[in-house]
């Protein structure tokens, strides 16, 4: 993500941008109690955003882009969103004056575009659930409580592993609607892991329809890459004259725009969705205190995406990588066994099945809370936008 140099003021003033904007404002207007209050709130807001991203960036390589980390990311977004909403509510007089009204309205329009990302991410979470169910079949076939493991159990596990491999295929040209439709047909809610994908297309079509009717699903022609570009379009740091004209509100609006874009980008990077694209331009100066940990996280996630074994992944979520590795190991194991199994080989199989069980449990424990958080982000954005537009609409009627 190229970091841009801010052109609106000198580099020295930029490093203290958050503190100085109201000083600029007071050079042009009479000092008011509201201005003093906003200055305190803005400094607090910037510090809280900085603290949130410092904590997110402090994690180890193993925890980055894991289910738990994505959950913390969404918690951070909700905290930032709530504090931003409080600032707008407290300073309604400034919000309703131009150019602040335009800036706030533009933020709400960006947030609407983020709703589609939430929809797509929930579908992606459902896909991962289907992979988990296929792993559960492998877990039961190769482990479980049966006294011995025979060819029948291996055939069942092998079939589930084949279905899993088909489901996780992510064609480089993922923007092709027919390819996406073919891939998604493997993930209807009623699709069992033991069914044959090659002769049950009609069943899969019905299952996909059922799945889509129960989810928020986006259009099959929808593109995550284009949606991220639309969210970030015309986003730039406020200039000094914009800060003065907005009474200082331009800064928290820009911060929240940046947080919104970054969080949506992380979700698209982590979770399977249509036409994933990570080449998004973030017009964020590194001089901002809160920007440094955010841009550091971006750099680390981009480095992860460029690794040879992650380049063609359908998502960078740590647990997806574990599914791929686990499936590969179990496939190799299934291909290498001879029957009847020796005691040593059977012990190895049961040990590997236990590793599958641990991964299944981690997915089961992590996916439901993540989906609830995505729902909460969705509803919080809707509520905040409705409240904001109601205020702006009432003012327009009064005018």
């Amino acid at each position: 993500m190229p970091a841009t140099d801010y052109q609106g003021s000198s580099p020295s003033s930029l490093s203290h941008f958050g503190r100085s904007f109201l000083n600029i404002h007071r050079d042009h207007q009479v000092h008011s109690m509201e201005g003093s209050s906003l200055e305190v709130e803005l400094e607090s807001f910037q510090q809280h955003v900085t603290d949130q991203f410092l904590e997110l960036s402090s994690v180890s390589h193993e925890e980055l882009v894991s289910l738990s980390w994505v959950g913390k990311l969404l918690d951070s977004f909700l905290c930032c969103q709530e504090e931003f909403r409080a600032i707008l509510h407290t300073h309604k007089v400034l919000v309703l004056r131009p150019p602040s009204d335009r800036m706030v309205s533009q933020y709400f329009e960006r947030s609407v575009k983020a709703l589609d990302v939430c929809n797509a991410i929930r579908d992606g979470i459902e896909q991962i659930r289907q992979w988990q169910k296929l792993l559960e079949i492998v877990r039961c076939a190769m482990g479980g409580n049966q006294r011995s493991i025979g060819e029948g159990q291996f055939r069942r596990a092998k079939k589930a592993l084949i279905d899993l491999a088909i489901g996780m295929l992510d064609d480089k040209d993922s923007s092709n609607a027919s390819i996406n439709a073919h891939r998604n047909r493997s993930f209807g809610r009623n699709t069992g892991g033991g069914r044959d994908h090659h002769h049950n297309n009609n069943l899969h079509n019905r299952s996909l329809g059922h799945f889509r009717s129960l989810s928020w699903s986006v259009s099959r022609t929808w593109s995550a890459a284009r949606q991220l570009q639309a969210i970030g379009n015309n986003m730039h740091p406020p200039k000094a004259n914009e800060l003065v004209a907005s009474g200082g509100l331009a800064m928290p609006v820009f911060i929240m725009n940046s947080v919104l874009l970054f969080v949506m980008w992380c979700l698209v990077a982590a979770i399977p969705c249509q036409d994933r694209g990570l080449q998004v331009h973030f017009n964020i100066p590194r001089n901002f205190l809160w920007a440094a940990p955010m841009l550091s996280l971006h750099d680390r996630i981009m480095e992860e995406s460029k690794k040879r074994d992650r380049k063609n992944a359908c998502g960078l979520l740590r647990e997806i990588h574990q599914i791929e590795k686990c499936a590969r190991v179990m496939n190799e194991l299934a291909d290498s066994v001879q029957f009847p199994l020796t005691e040593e080989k059977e012990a190895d199989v049961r040990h590997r099945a236990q590793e599958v069980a641990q991964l299944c449990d981690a997915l089961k424990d992590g996916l439901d809370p993540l989906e609830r958080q995505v729902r909460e982000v969705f509803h919080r954005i809707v509520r905040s936008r409705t409240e904001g537009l109601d205020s702006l609409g009432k003012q327009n009627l009064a005018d």
Side-chain angles (χ1 to χ4, degrees):
M1 165 183 7
T4 58
D5 294 326
Y6 178 67
Q7 301 297 327
S9 60
S10 68
S12 59
S13 66
L14 177 59
S15 62
H16 301 286
F17 211 16
R19 291 196 190 97
S20 65
F21 81 87
L22 280 172
N23 293 329
I24 296 173
H25 177 67
R26 285 194 290 268
D27 287 343
H28 294 78
Q29 296 184 357
V30 176
H31 174 71
S32 67
M33 188 63 85
E34 181 181 6
S36 177
S37 170
L38 180 58
E39 181 175 15
V40 172
E41 289 175 44
L42 176 55
E43 289 193 14
S44 174
F45 180 54
Q46 290 189 103
Q47 188 58 56
H48 289 163
V49 173
T50 302
D51 292 342
Q52 295 282 355
F53 281 94
L54 281 172
E55 183 176 353
L56 288 167
S57 64
S58 68
V59 300
S60 66
H61 170 76
E62 288 71 24
E63 190 179 351
L64 184 67
V65 200
S66 62
L67 280 171
S68 62
W69 185 87
V70 175
K72 292 175 184 176
L73 176 74
L74 295 182
D75 282 342
S76 295
F77 173 81
L78 292 171
C79 289
C80 294
Q81 171 75 14
E82 195 60 29
E83 193 165 350
F84 176 67
R85 176 172 165 265
I87 291 173
L88 297 184
H89 179 77
T90 303
H91 301 281
K92 282 184 178 179
V93 174
L94 287 177
V95 171
L96 297 175
R97 289 204 311 243
S100 298
D101 56 348
R102 172 180 56 81
M103 295 175 179
V104 172
S105 292
Q106 287 174 345
Y107 167 74
F108 288 140
E109 292 312 305
R110 293 183 203 279
S111 69
V112 169
K113 295 178 175 67
L115 297 180
D116 270 350
V117 176
C118 292
N119 294 344
I121 294 305
R122 186 169 180 241
D123 284 351
I125 292 171
E126 181 61 27
Q127 287 187 2
I128 300 173
R129 276 204 187 94
Q130 302 307 316
W131 303 341
Q132 175 202 335
K133 290 175 183 178
L134 292 171
L135 281 179
E136 290 281 2
I137 294 173
V138 177
R139 168 191 191 172
C140 294
M142 292 190 170
N145 298 320
Q146 62 263 36
R147 295 179 60 183
S148 62
I149 304 173
E151 292 185 59
Q153 287 96 329
F154 267 85
R155 280 196 299 270
R156 186 176 178 224
K158 186 69 176 177
K159 187 169 186 58
L161 290 168
I162 291 171
D163 286 349
L164 178 60
I166 292 172
M168 297 188 75
L169 282 176
D170 189 58
D171 197 285
K172 291 181 181 179
D173 185 20
S174 61
S175 62
N176 185 298
S178 63
I179 292 176
N180 277 313
H182 173 75
R183 186 173 69 243
N184 288 341
R185 272 196 291 270
S186 297
F187 296 105
R189 285 183 186 265
N190 290 338
T191 301
R195 292 192 175 99
D196 191 338
H197 289 275
H198 298 291
H199 63 265
N200 276 308
N201 286 334
N202 290 335
L203 176 60
H204 286 160
N205 285 330
R206 290 197 300 272
S207 296
L208 180 67
H210 179 59
F211 163 46
R212 288 188 175 277
S213 70
L214 294 175
S215 75
W216 301 335
S217 259
V218 293
S219 163
R220 292 189 185 187
T221 61
W222 182 84
S223 163
R226 288 197 301 270
Q227 199 75 359
L228 289 175
Q229 290 170 1
I231 294 172
N233 192 34
N234 295 323
M235 188 187 298
H236 60 81
K239 299 176 182 178
N241 65 316
E242 292 175 321
L243 285 166
V244 172
S246 67
L249 273 178
M251 181 53 69
V253 171
F254 174 67
I255 293 173
M256 202 60 220
N257 276 329
S258 302
V259 171
L260 177 72
L261 178 60
F262 181 76
V263 170
M264 294 302 120
W265 178 83
C266 286
L267 288 176
V268 169
I271 307 294
C273 55
Q274 293 172 203
D275 192 22
R276 291 171 62 252
L278 305 187
Q279 300 303 321
V280 175
H281 179 68
F282 284 70
N283 192 8
I284 304 174
R286 290 187 181 270
N287 311 57
F288 290 132
L289 188 63
W290 51 269
M294 184 184 290
L295 296 176
S296 172
L297 280 168
H298 171 272
D299 293 343
R300 290 175 64 185
I301 293 171
M302 285 301 295
E303 286 175 11
E304 189 71 16
S305 73
K306 293 174 183 176
K307 291 181 178 178
R308 194 172 75 173
D309 59 345
R310 309 304 300 277
K311 278 185 178 180
N312 297 319
C314 49
L316 296 179
L317 190 73
R318 184 69 52 187
E319 285 78 5
I320 291 178
H321 189 45
Q322 291 172 347
I323 292 173
E324 292 172 337
K325 291 197 299 182
C326 187
R328 186 166 57 248
V329 168
M330 296 307 288
N331 258 315
E332 292 172 355
L333 183 62
D335 290 340
S336 67
V337 298
Q338 293 181 341
F339 296 96
L341 296 179
T342 64
E343 289 186 7
E344 182 180 356
K345 179 59 72 172
E346 183 168 335
D348 185 29
V349 169
R350 291 188 184 278
H351 173 72
R352 297 297 183 183
Q354 185 59 38
E355 293 177 350
V356 174
Q358 291 172 359
L359 178 54
C360 287
D361 291 342
L363 290 168
K364 186 176 180 180
D365 293 341
L367 289 175
D368 286 350
L370 181 61
E371 183 177 18
R372 286 194 295 270
Q373 286 175 302
V374 173
R375 279 181 179 271
E376 181 60 26
V377 167
F378 183 97
H379 292 302
R380 196 79 66 89
I381 288 174
V382 170
R383 185 165 69 246
S384 177
R385 178 178 181 271
T386 301
E387 291 173 357
L389 292 183
D390 280 350
S391 297
L392 292 172
K394 289 175 183 176
Q395 178 64 20
N396 290 336
L397 290 174
D399 293 342

